[in-house]
Every structure is written in C-alpha cells, then in structure tokens.
Amino acid sequence: MSVSVLVGSQWGDEGKGKIVDILSDKYKIVARYQGGANAGHTIKIGDKQIVLHLIPSGILRDDVICVIGNGVVIDPHALLEEIDFLEKSGYQIKGRLFISHNAHLIMPYHKLLDTIREQSSDKIGTTGKGIGPCYNDKYARKGIRIVDLLNKEEFIRKVKMNLEEKNSLLKNIYHQEELDVNTIINEYLEFDKKIDPYVKDVALFLNEAADNGENILFEGAQGALLDVDFGTYPFVTSSSPTSGGACIGSGLPPTKIDSVFGIVKAYTTRVGFGPFPTELIDENGEKLRKIGVEYGATTGRPRRCGWFDAFLVNYSRTINGISEAAMTKLDVLSHFDEIKVCIGYQIDGKTLKSYPNDVSKLERVVPIYETLSGWNQDISNITNYYDLPSETKNYISFLEKLTNISFTIISVGAKRSQTIIR
Ligand code: GDP
Ligand code: IMO
Ligand code: MG
C-alpha cells in the first residue's frame, strides 16, 4: 500500500498533469485536495491534448477512481463542462468521480469580485476564477458548501445572506450592478440535480481505501511558491498546495501518508505578478517561452521564464518533504550553448542562508549563478537515461546535489512516451 502526495515545487505549471497521468497507472485513487479551476493540467496522449482544471488527471485511466476533496473550491459550471467534455471524448465518469460534500462552491459573486479586485492597483494577476473570494468566505464562515445544495431551504437562506453583503459591496464600493438572488438560486439548484450522483463522504472513502491497502495519489495543484503560507505572499493563491495541504484538504491524516513526490521543471516559470529572481527579460527568456510553449493552460497568458533556481527548489523540498521527484521539460534546454543555474541569493553582497518569504526582500535579491555547458542536441526521443548526452547527465546530477532531491523520472517531451524512468 502506498499513499503519496505529488506537488508542484515552483510556481505551478511544472508538468504535474503529465506525471500524474504516468504515475496513476499504479494507483487505485487519484485525489485533488486544494485549489479549483485556476489549475490547468495538461496531458498529451498521442496527438490528443487534454487540459483538466478540476477533475484529477487520473481520470484518463479507466480503472482509476478520482476524488475531489473538501479543500477544493468547486465552480459547478466549470465542473459540469469538464465532465461533459470528458464524456464526449469517450471517458466514463459516473461511478469514477466523487466530490466531497464539504467542498465549498464558487458562486457568481466570487468570480465577479475576483475580476473587480484585479482592476485595482494591488492586483495579483489571478486567473479570475473566483478562488480568493471563495476561500475568503470559507474562512470567514460564510461559505456555501456542496452539502448545502442538498437542503434547499438552508441553501436559499445562505445565498440570500451572502448576497445582502455582496450586493452592498458591489453597489456602494465598486459601483457595479447588483446580482439577482433568484437567478443564482435557480441556476445552482439546477447544478445540484447534475452534481448529486457524484457527492460522497470523501474523507471516509479515502480512509477506508487506505485502511484496505489501496494505493492513493494526491494531485497537488499550483506550486509551493504559490502557497498562501509558504509562497511569495501576497502574490500567491489562496490555498495550501504544499504537501501538508493534502491532509487538511482530504481528511486523510498525516499518519497515512507515506511519501511526497515533487514535480520540478528544468527551468523556472511564473504566471501573474510577484518577485521572480531568475527571470530572464531577454532573448533567452523569449527562447524558453517559445520552445517550452510557455502559455497558461487556463488563461493563455504568456508565462514569465527564467533559469533554474536551486535555492528556491531546495526551500520547496524542505517545506514539502520531497524525497524524490520528476524533472520535467528538460528537452526545452536542448538548444542553449550555456545554461545558468541559480545556486543562492545575495542582498547587499551578503549571501542569504534561508529563503526569504518577505517579498520586499525577495525583490532585492541578486541571484548567484553557475554556468554549465549545454548539450545542443535533441533529447526528446531518448528513453534510456544512459543514452542522454554527458552534459545533460551533468546538468541533472548538478541539480540533484544542489537541491538534495533525486530525480527518478526525467521528462523529455509532453507525450507519455517521452519519459525516462531511472
Ligand atoms: P501543470 O499545471 O503542472 O500540470 O502543467 P501545465 O499543463 O500547465 O504545463 C506544462 C506544459 O508542458 C503542458 O503543455 C505539457 O503538455 C507540457 N509538458 C509536460 N512535460 C513536458 C516535457 O517534458 N517537455 C515538454 N516539451 N513539454 C512538456
Ligand atoms: P497549475 O495547477 C500557475 C497563479 C495566478 C496568480 C496567483 C493567484 O496549473 O500549476 P488565483 O487565480 O489562484 O487567485 O491566482 O496564482 N496561479 C497559477 N500559476 N499554475 C497554476 O495552476 C496556477 N493557479 C494559480 O497566475 O499569480
Ligand atoms: Mg498548469
């Protein structure tokens, strides 16, 4: 039996979807525990590309059960659209997808408030999916959960209570049109009929499965540096993508988790605002974006690109407890004569001992780089580690030493077949 948490180790988009799809072969259950439709997890099977936002990437394997834990915030509209898309693509979803009755619902006012707040000067560069406002209500104890849909009267009472506050905000602070309470109620009661067959006590289900010795894989969304506590606050998401979030967001206790698997991109990217010490605002950054096709899977925004940051990944390993990892997108570095790696940060000539979370400090850091030789050849069809050019193996072992992580999977392309297992 093995229960493992898979986490993004940088700022998201490390290639989690691809690796979950590869690993889920060995798992009975794949579970999401945080985030929402802000995630965009891409899986390429043959020439077909599928982007999943809410449903775990394990859904593409017929014998895998997928669950969405209480820690995920669910936009019913996005969920039903995804179910519909998968069903039309030939995947069986009913009986293979379960959603926690404790998960919070993203309401129309969450998306609206997200968009409005993003027009102010303290914008984050969010995905506009209503994530922050929904978690805001959850922790303010005003949120509406899946379970509330099952009790019509209670649901109506909660929508009315929320709208009173939100409409006052919309009208008096943001000078926007108020939302109609009945439209929202009718829309969500319609959703309820469709979502009902998927609702389950996910915490109980996962605990029973773990006790019965089933293999469970948690699929983190976003990445450690977007964690609301450990990331580059306030330029973060509003949930806990780090491995500890898996317990809180699913109801499976820490004593039942065996290992943490990291997904580490061979360079660094970030979408949205916030500090990014190794960012390249030059032709090398442009080249990474072009070769790596670094455009958001959810919003289509160009991703900011930069060199690998070993100081950041080492921090990520520590807070996540990563023991082994997959290095992804190594093929993207194939066309560089020289590749730089950040081995630490300095401020005012002083080398930092630990990763700074204070963004004002992080904005001032100067990365310390080591330069390695590139390999200047296509590696995207190599399936055996020993067939990789010596410079590529040197790059991998250099990163292993700096980050204290062993890379047991090396990904050299988006397809399932472009994967080296060591
Ligand atoms: P996620 O959010 O972590 O699942 O990652 P995304 O799906 O947002 O972004 C990763 C992108 O890189 C997707 O377009 C994947 O198809 C693609 N990808 C994944 N692994 C590799 C790889 O090893 N090489 C290349 N070139 N592309 C990859
Ligand atoms: P996956 O799972 C990359 C970023 C947004 C923004 C910040 C807050 O595909 O790796 P939010 O909408 O969550 O309130 O936005 O977080 N962000 C992501 N960046 N990958 C993601 O997910 C992201 N989800 C959110 O760009 O900077
Ligand atoms: Mg993504």
mmCIF file of all heavy atoms in Angstrom, residues 14-45:
data_model
loop_
_atom_site.group_PDB
_atom_site.id
_atom_site.type_symbol
_atom_site.label_atom_id
_atom_site.label_comp_id
_atom_site.label_asym_id
_atom_site.label_seq_id
_atom_site.Cartn_x
_atom_site.Cartn_y
_atom_site.Cartn_z
ATOM 1 N N GLU A 14 4.487 22.958 -13.639
ATOM 2 C CA GLU A 14 5.728 22.178 -13.729
ATOM 3 C C GLU A 14 5.557 20.943 -14.615
ATOM 4 O O GLU A 14 6.546 20.280 -14.954
ATOM 5 C CB GLU A 14 6.172 21.721 -12.322
ATOM 6 C CG GLU A 14 6.526 22.843 -11.343
ATOM 7 C CD GLU A 14 5.313 23.319 -10.556
ATOM 8 O OE1 GLU A 14 4.175 22.911 -10.882
ATOM 9 O OE2 GLU A 14 5.499 24.136 -9.629
ATOM 10 N N GLY A 15 4.298 20.632 -14.949
ATOM 11 C CA GLY A 15 4.042 19.403 -15.726
ATOM 12 C C GLY A 15 3.419 18.331 -14.839
ATOM 13 O O GLY A 15 3.587 17.137 -15.083
ATOM 14 N N LYS A 16 2.669 18.771 -13.821
ATOM 15 C CA LYS A 16 2.052 17.828 -12.868
ATOM 16 C C LYS A 16 1.082 16.885 -13.586
ATOM 17 O O LYS A 16 1.067 15.686 -13.327
ATOM 18 C CB LYS A 16 1.306 18.608 -11.767
ATOM 19 C CG LYS A 16 2.224 19.476 -10.923
ATOM 20 C CD LYS A 16 1.456 20.288 -9.900
ATOM 21 C CE LYS A 16 0.612 21.394 -10.477
ATOM 22 N NZ LYS A 16 1.346 22.502 -11.129
ATOM 23 N N GLY A 17 0.264 17.462 -14.501
ATOM 24 C CA GLY A 17 -0.735 16.653 -15.205
ATOM 25 C C GLY A 17 -0.089 15.486 -15.929
ATOM 26 O O GLY A 17 -0.528 14.341 -15.804
ATOM 27 N N LYS A 18 0.981 15.763 -16.652
ATOM 28 C CA LYS A 18 1.656 14.689 -17.400
ATOM 29 C C LYS A 18 2.161 13.590 -16.458
ATOM 30 O O LYS A 18 1.974 12.405 -16.706
ATOM 31 C CB LYS A 18 2.839 15.246 -18.212
ATOM 32 C CG LYS A 18 3.622 14.077 -18.801
ATOM 33 C CD LYS A 18 4.904 14.363 -19.519
ATOM 34 C CE LYS A 18 5.645 13.029 -19.620
ATOM 35 N NZ LYS A 18 6.692 12.983 -20.611
ATOM 36 N N ILE A 19 2.774 13.994 -15.358
ATOM 37 C CA ILE A 19 3.385 12.986 -14.469
ATOM 38 C C ILE A 19 2.306 12.229 -13.674
ATOM 39 O O ILE A 19 2.438 11.025 -13.458
ATOM 40 C CB ILE A 19 4.451 13.634 -13.543
ATOM 41 C CG1 ILE A 19 5.533 14.348 -14.393
ATOM 42 C CG2 ILE A 19 5.088 12.588 -12.630
ATOM 43 C CD1 ILE A 19 6.333 13.468 -15.357
ATOM 44 N N VAL A 20 1.221 12.908 -13.280
ATOM 45 C CA VAL A 20 0.124 12.180 -12.611
ATOM 46 C C VAL A 20 -0.412 11.120 -13.564
ATOM 47 O O VAL A 20 -0.661 9.973 -13.181
ATOM 48 C CB VAL A 20 -1.015 13.136 -12.165
ATOM 49 C CG1 VAL A 20 -2.245 12.351 -11.712
ATOM 50 C CG2 VAL A 20 -0.544 14.043 -11.040
ATOM 51 N N ASP A 21 -0.562 11.499 -14.818
ATOM 52 C CA ASP A 21 -1.071 10.547 -15.816
ATOM 53 C C ASP A 21 -0.139 9.327 -15.920
ATOM 54 O O ASP A 21 -0.597 8.190 -15.987
ATOM 55 C CB ASP A 21 -1.195 11.260 -17.168
ATOM 56 C CG ASP A 21 -1.553 10.305 -18.280
ATOM 57 O OD1 ASP A 21 -2.623 9.679 -18.184
ATOM 58 O OD2 ASP A 21 -0.749 10.147 -19.223
ATOM 59 N N ILE A 22 1.162 9.563 -15.897
ATOM 60 C CA ILE A 22 2.128 8.455 -15.978
ATOM 61 C C ILE A 22 2.025 7.589 -14.709
ATOM 62 O O ILE A 22 1.911 6.373 -14.780
ATOM 63 C CB ILE A 22 3.589 9.006 -16.074
ATOM 64 C CG1 ILE A 22 3.772 9.880 -17.317
ATOM 65 C CG2 ILE A 22 4.639 7.895 -15.955
ATOM 66 C CD1 ILE A 22 4.145 9.184 -18.570
ATOM 67 N N LEU A 23 2.058 8.246 -13.538
ATOM 68 C CA LEU A 23 2.096 7.506 -12.273
ATOM 69 C C LEU A 23 0.773 6.813 -11.947
ATOM 70 O O LEU A 23 0.760 5.778 -11.270
ATOM 71 C CB LEU A 23 2.461 8.441 -11.109
ATOM 72 C CG LEU A 23 3.861 9.058 -11.113
ATOM 73 C CD1 LEU A 23 4.010 10.034 -9.951
ATOM 74 C CD2 LEU A 23 4.944 7.981 -11.035
ATOM 75 N N SER A 24 -0.337 7.362 -12.418
ATOM 76 C CA SER A 24 -1.651 6.859 -11.982
ATOM 77 C C SER A 24 -1.903 5.426 -12.441
ATOM 78 O O SER A 24 -2.808 4.762 -11.931
ATOM 79 C CB SER A 24 -2.791 7.785 -12.416
ATOM 80 O OG SER A 24 -2.760 7.977 -13.797
ATOM 81 N N ASP A 25 -1.093 4.960 -13.340
ATOM 82 C CA ASP A 25 -1.062 3.565 -13.743
ATOM 83 C C ASP A 25 -0.978 2.631 -12.520
ATOM 84 O O ASP A 25 -1.542 1.542 -12.518
ATOM 85 C CB ASP A 25 0.235 3.439 -14.567
ATOM 86 C CG ASP A 25 0.220 2.229 -15.457
ATOM 87 O OD1 ASP A 25 -0.875 1.726 -15.662
ATOM 88 O OD2 ASP A 25 1.303 1.810 -15.914
ATOM 89 N N LYS A 26 -0.264 3.099 -11.493
ATOM 90 C CA LYS A 26 -0.013 2.253 -10.315
ATOM 91 C C LYS A 26 -0.926 2.588 -9.134
ATOM 92 O O LYS A 26 -0.738 2.081 -8.042
ATOM 93 C CB LYS A 26 1.439 2.421 -9.857
ATOM 94 C CG LYS A 26 2.444 1.958 -10.880
ATOM 95 C CD LYS A 26 3.847 1.953 -10.280
ATOM 96 C CE LYS A 26 4.878 1.586 -11.326
ATOM 97 N NZ LYS A 26 4.948 2.578 -12.432
ATOM 98 N N TYR A 27 -1.868 3.511 -9.340
ATOM 99 C CA TYR A 27 -2.722 3.938 -8.228
ATOM 100 C C TYR A 27 -4.186 3.599 -8.482
ATOM 101 O O TYR A 27 -4.647 3.632 -9.621
ATOM 102 C CB TYR A 27 -2.572 5.446 -7.984
ATOM 103 C CG TYR A 27 -1.233 5.787 -7.360
ATOM 104 C CD1 TYR A 27 -0.108 5.994 -8.161
ATOM 105 C CD2 TYR A 27 -1.075 5.847 -5.983
ATOM 106 C CE1 TYR A 27 1.131 6.275 -7.596
ATOM 107 C CE2 TYR A 27 0.156 6.131 -5.412
ATOM 108 C CZ TYR A 27 1.260 6.346 -6.227
ATOM 109 O OH TYR A 27 2.467 6.621 -5.665
ATOM 110 N N LYS A 28 -4.883 3.296 -7.400
ATOM 111 C CA LYS A 28 -6.309 2.993 -7.487
ATOM 112 C C LYS A 28 -7.124 4.293 -7.449
ATOM 113 O O LYS A 28 -8.154 4.423 -8.091
ATOM 114 C CB LYS A 28 -6.694 2.100 -6.275
ATOM 115 C CG LYS A 28 -8.134 1.737 -6.177
ATOM 116 C CD LYS A 28 -8.502 0.653 -7.171
ATOM 117 C CE LYS A 28 -9.994 0.406 -7.184
ATOM 118 N NZ LYS A 28 -10.415 -0.311 -8.360
ATOM 119 N N ILE A 29 -6.600 5.263 -6.649
ATOM 120 C CA ILE A 29 -7.342 6.517 -6.455
ATOM 121 C C ILE A 29 -6.418 7.715 -6.690
ATOM 122 O O ILE A 29 -5.269 7.721 -6.218
ATOM 123 C CB ILE A 29 -7.897 6.593 -5.003
ATOM 124 C CG1 ILE A 29 -8.864 5.422 -4.750
ATOM 125 C CG2 ILE A 29 -8.575 7.930 -4.719
ATOM 126 C CD1 ILE A 29 -9.216 5.208 -3.294
ATOM 127 N N VAL A 30 -6.902 8.714 -7.404
ATOM 128 C CA VAL A 30 -6.172 9.986 -7.538
ATOM 129 C C VAL A 30 -7.081 11.080 -6.982
ATOM 130 O O VAL A 30 -8.267 11.159 -7.336
ATOM 131 C CB VAL A 30 -5.770 10.277 -9.003
ATOM 132 C CG1 VAL A 30 -5.038 11.614 -9.091
ATOM 133 C CG2 VAL A 30 -4.877 9.175 -9.559
ATOM 134 N N ALA A 31 -6.528 11.915 -6.100
ATOM 135 C CA ALA A 31 -7.350 12.900 -5.381
ATOM 136 C C ALA A 31 -6.784 14.312 -5.471
ATOM 137 O O ALA A 31 -5.591 14.521 -5.268
ATOM 138 C CB ALA A 31 -7.451 12.492 -3.911
ATOM 139 N N ARG A 32 -7.660 15.275 -5.757
ATOM 140 C CA ARG A 32 -7.281 16.698 -5.634
ATOM 141 C C ARG A 32 -7.627 17.162 -4.223
ATOM 142 O O ARG A 32 -8.630 16.731 -3.656
ATOM 143 C CB ARG A 32 -8.073 17.540 -6.647
ATOM 144 C CG ARG A 32 -7.531 17.557 -8.068
ATOM 145 C CD ARG A 32 -6.417 18.586 -8.290
ATOM 146 N NE ARG A 32 -6.758 19.940 -7.899
ATOM 147 C CZ ARG A 32 -7.257 20.859 -8.712
ATOM 148 N NH1 ARG A 32 -7.498 20.571 -9.967
ATOM 149 N NH2 ARG A 32 -7.521 22.081 -8.263
ATOM 150 N N TYR A 33 -6.808 18.038 -3.643
ATOM 151 C CA TYR A 33 -7.058 18.470 -2.262
ATOM 152 C C TYR A 33 -7.129 19.980 -2.071
ATOM 153 O O TYR A 33 -7.434 20.445 -0.969
ATOM 154 C CB TYR A 33 -6.015 17.874 -1.309
ATOM 155 C CG TYR A 33 -4.563 18.224 -1.649
ATOM 156 C CD1 TYR A 33 -3.957 19.371 -1.133
ATOM 157 C CD2 TYR A 33 -3.812 17.396 -2.463
ATOM 158 C CE1 TYR A 33 -2.644 19.677 -1.422
ATOM 159 C CE2 TYR A 33 -2.481 17.702 -2.760
ATOM 160 C CZ TYR A 33 -1.907 18.839 -2.242
ATOM 161 O OH TYR A 33 -0.597 19.146 -2.540
ATOM 162 N N GLN A 34 -6.823 20.754 -3.075
ATOM 163 C CA GLN A 34 -6.883 22.220 -2.910
ATOM 164 C C GLN A 34 -7.020 22.893 -4.277
ATOM 165 O O GLN A 34 -6.939 22.234 -5.312
ATOM 166 C CB GLN A 34 -5.652 22.761 -2.178
ATOM 167 C CG GLN A 34 -4.310 22.259 -2.625
ATOM 168 C CD GLN A 34 -3.810 22.696 -3.976
ATOM 169 O OE1 GLN A 34 -3.452 21.880 -4.822
ATOM 170 N NE2 GLN A 34 -3.770 24.010 -4.191
ATOM 171 N N GLY A 35 -7.189 24.205 -4.240
ATOM 172 C CA GLY A 35 -7.303 24.958 -5.477
ATOM 173 C C GLY A 35 -8.659 24.719 -6.125
ATOM 174 O O GLY A 35 -9.583 24.164 -5.502
ATOM 175 N N GLY A 36 -8.748 25.132 -7.369
ATOM 176 C CA GLY A 36 -10.008 24.958 -8.081
ATOM 177 C C GLY A 36 -9.725 24.966 -9.563
ATOM 178 O O GLY A 36 -8.696 24.424 -9.993
ATOM 179 N N ALA A 37 -10.598 25.648 -10.315
ATOM 180 C CA ALA A 37 -10.424 25.674 -11.767
ATOM 181 C C ALA A 37 -9.355 26.691 -12.197
ATOM 182 O O ALA A 37 -9.209 26.974 -13.378
ATOM 183 C CB ALA A 37 -11.754 25.964 -12.443
ATOM 184 N N ASN A 38 -8.613 27.221 -11.210
ATOM 185 C CA ASN A 38 -7.435 28.033 -11.562
ATOM 186 C C ASN A 38 -6.330 27.137 -12.113
ATOM 187 O O ASN A 38 -5.457 27.579 -12.857
ATOM 188 C CB ASN A 38 -6.929 28.840 -10.347
ATOM 189 C CG ASN A 38 -6.750 28.002 -9.092
ATOM 190 O OD1 ASN A 38 -7.171 26.841 -9.026
ATOM 191 N ND2 ASN A 38 -6.138 28.585 -8.077
ATOM 192 N N ALA A 39 -6.368 25.845 -11.773
ATOM 193 C CA ALA A 39 -5.363 24.901 -12.261
ATOM 194 C C ALA A 39 -5.616 24.584 -13.727
ATOM 195 O O ALA A 39 -6.749 24.616 -14.188
ATOM 196 C CB ALA A 39 -5.438 23.613 -11.437
ATOM 197 N N GLY A 40 -4.551 24.277 -14.426
ATOM 198 C CA GLY A 40 -4.658 23.804 -15.808
ATOM 199 C C GLY A 40 -3.624 22.718 -15.975
ATOM 200 O O GLY A 40 -2.432 23.011 -16.060
ATOM 201 N N HIS A 41 -4.063 21.462 -15.940
ATOM 202 C CA HIS A 41 -3.135 20.327 -16.000
ATOM 203 C C HIS A 41 -3.267 19.654 -17.371
ATOM 204 O O HIS A 41 -4.337 19.145 -17.718
ATOM 205 C CB HIS A 41 -3.425 19.335 -14.861
ATOM 206 C CG HIS A 41 -3.177 19.928 -13.502
ATOM 207 N ND1 HIS A 41 -3.358 19.242 -12.327
ATOM 208 C CD2 HIS A 41 -2.737 21.164 -13.136
ATOM 209 C CE1 HIS A 41 -3.049 20.024 -11.310
ATOM 210 N NE2 HIS A 41 -2.681 21.196 -11.771
ATOM 211 N N THR A 42 -2.175 19.668 -18.108
ATOM 212 C CA THR A 42 -2.213 19.186 -19.487
ATOM 213 C C THR A 42 -1.687 17.766 -19.600
ATOM 214 O O THR A 42 -0.635 17.439 -19.040
ATOM 215 C CB THR A 42 -1.344 20.104 -20.380
ATOM 216 O OG1 THR A 42 -1.619 21.457 -20.047
ATOM 217 C CG2 THR A 42 -1.589 19.855 -21.856
ATOM 218 N N ILE A 43 -2.424 16.957 -20.346
ATOM 219 C CA ILE A 43 -1.987 15.578 -20.609
ATOM 220 C C ILE A 43 -2.036 15.380 -22.119
ATOM 221 O O ILE A 43 -3.024 15.744 -22.766
ATOM 222 C CB ILE A 43 -2.922 14.542 -19.921
ATOM 223 C CG1 ILE A 43 -2.942 14.786 -18.410
ATOM 224 C CG2 ILE A 43 -2.490 13.122 -20.205
ATOM 225 C CD1 ILE A 43 -4.207 15.346 -17.917
ATOM 226 N N LYS A 44 -0.949 14.850 -22.660
ATOM 227 C CA LYS A 44 -0.913 14.610 -24.103
ATOM 228 C C LYS A 44 -0.837 13.115 -24.344
ATOM 229 O O LYS A 44 0.120 12.458 -23.914
ATOM 230 C CB LYS A 44 0.300 15.336 -24.701
ATOM 231 C CG LYS A 44 0.100 15.671 -26.135
ATOM 232 C CD LYS A 44 1.051 16.739 -26.633
ATOM 233 C CE LYS A 44 0.799 16.945 -28.121
ATOM 234 N NZ LYS A 44 1.859 17.693 -28.747
ATOM 235 N N ILE A 45 -1.871 12.594 -24.995
ATOM 236 C CA ILE A 45 -1.870 11.169 -25.315
ATOM 237 C C ILE A 45 -1.901 11.058 -26.829
ATOM 238 O O ILE A 45 -2.881 11.448 -27.463
ATOM 239 C CB ILE A 45 -3.078 10.443 -24.670
ATOM 240 C CG1 ILE A 45 -3.065 10.668 -23.147
ATOM 241 C CG2 ILE A 45 -3.058 8.957 -24.985
ATOM 242 C CD1 ILE A 45 -4.290 10.178 -22.429
#
